[in-house]
Amino acid sequence: MEERTQQITQTERPARRRFPGLPSQIAHARRFVARQLAASPELTTATLLTSELATNAITHSASGQEAGKFEVYVLQAPGWARVEVRDLGNMAESPQPQHRAPYDTEEHGRGLDLVEALSSAWGTEPRRDAIGRKVWFELVWDCGGDPL
């Protein structure tokens, strides 16, 4: 994945948007990513995984508290995209897939399993500003000569 990341030139800046930490904003975050990656064959996967990470941000971090917020960054290059959801953090607990059994009937706990299964790579790390963390995923596809 590092090789593709290096393909992004200094003139290509990530698209970025901040959202209030409210459940109603998850749909807005999906639409934001959909606009950025409209030409990508991985559009559906990108919006699904964005929804999962945004839901986690407002459910499991300070972003979901009163006056909380989260940010979504979209970076892209030919045949590659990275989406980051930056929240206000819950540094006591690092996000991990649950690896639930297929017949488990629990309503929650599968979001990061989806991210792990559908992305080319994903991870979590503290934000550079030390206020919270970012959870990200990358998608890679054969662009067949097309820029996206």
Side-chain angles (χ1 to χ4, degrees):
M1 294 312 122
E2 189 173 317
E3 179 182 316
R4 291 208 184 256
T5 303
Q6 293 173 355
Q7 292 177 359
I8 298 175
T9 66
Q10 299 245 346
T11 59
E12 292 181 29
R13 294 206 166 115
R16 173 184 153 211
R17 183 162 171 209
R18 184 175 294 157
F19 299 90
L22 302 169
S24 62
Q25 296 302 301
I26 296 167
H28 295 286
R30 278 193 311 263
R31 285 193 290 271
F32 169 71
V33 170
R35 281 192 304 274
Q36 304 309 310
L37 300 177
S40 167
E42 293 291 334
L43 176 62
T44 302
T45 302
T47 56
L48 171 65
L49 300 185
T50 298
S51 183
E52 294 299 335
L53 296 188
T55 298
N56 284 354
I58 64 170
T59 303
H60 301 293
S61 83
S63 292
Q65 296 176 358
E66 188 173 337
K69 61 186 180 269
F70 66 96
E71 295 176 319
V72 177
Y73 284 68
V74 180
L75 299 93
Q76 55 186 313
W80 175 87
R82 176 178 171 129
V83 176
E84 300 176 356
V85 175
R86 299 177 182 195
D87 63 36
L88 296 177
N90 174 0
M91 301 316 281
E93 181 180 320
S94 181
Q96 297 292 325
Q98 299 296 307
H99 301 292
R100 299 223 183 241
Y103 299 106
D104 187 339
T105 59
E106 285 292 318
E107 190 172 318
H108 302 286
R110 290 182 183 79
L112 290 180
D113 289 340
L114 279 172
V115 174
E116 183 178 61
L118 298 177
S119 67
S120 301
W122 79 280
T124 181
E125 55 200 68
R127 288 172 39 168
R128 288 185 185 169
D129 60 11
I131 302 172
R133 68 173 164 229
K134 61 181 170 182
V135 183
W136 54 268
F137 65 86
E138 294 179 352
L139 299 170
V140 177
W141 60 90
D142 180 16
C143 57
D146 291 335
L148 292 177

